[in-house]
Amino acid sequence: MEEALTQEVVFDLIKASKKPLTFEEIAKRLNLDQKGRKSLKKALRSLERFGKISFEDGRYYFSKEEVVMGRVIPNPAGFGFLEVGEGKKDIYIPPFEMERLFGGDVVR
């Protein structure tokens, strides 16, 4: 199955699972050899980086939260907003979070 191993295949497997899966469980379900396992690691890292899956306690699971990117807009009063665009509502950023951000930063 290594030829067809894509992020989409891995994502669909994790999303369809009723419980979080370990790396070994995913590899077994996909019937992967050593080369396929390397591809699986890359796919899992990429899916996690883009917020499509999460990793906790050695298990991968489907992230139900939507990850958004936007530009930080500071307010002189100390708080700020994340300008998401795409017709979506801006997200409030409390003052304690704004201490680590600068106006114009692009974050997710």
Side-chain angles (χ1 to χ4, degrees), residues 6-89:
T6 63
Q7 288 181 19
E8 186 176 348
V9 169
V10 175
F11 176 73
D12 289 344
L13 174 70
I14 293 171
K15 186 175 179 182
S17 177
K18 292 182 169 120
K19 64 180 184 82
L21 301 170
T22 65
F23 179 84
E24 287 300 319
E25 289 170 332
I26 297 168
K28 281 182 183 178
R29 288 187 187 192
L30 295 174
N31 195 26
L32 299 177
D33 61 9
Q34 279 303 112
K35 185 178 178 185
R37 287 171 181 254
K38 286 182 183 180
S39 297
L40 176 59
K41 281 183 186 178
K42 288 180 185 177
L44 289 169
R45 278 192 216 121
S46 183
L47 288 167
E48 187 179 1
R49 184 174 43 246
F50 288 107
K52 298 208 178 253
I53 63 170
S54 295
F55 179 74
E56 190 174 305
D57 296 329
R59 297 181 178 274
Y60 294 92
Y61 60 94
F62 173 62
S63 295
K64 293 181 173 100
E65 297 177 356
E66 180 184 0
V67 176
V68 295
M69 286 186 67
R71 186 173 60 89
V72 175
I73 302 171
N75 184 290
F79 61 89
F81 290 95
L82 184 66
E83 181 182 52
V84 181
E86 303 168 11
K88 294 183 180 178
K89 198 172 182 182

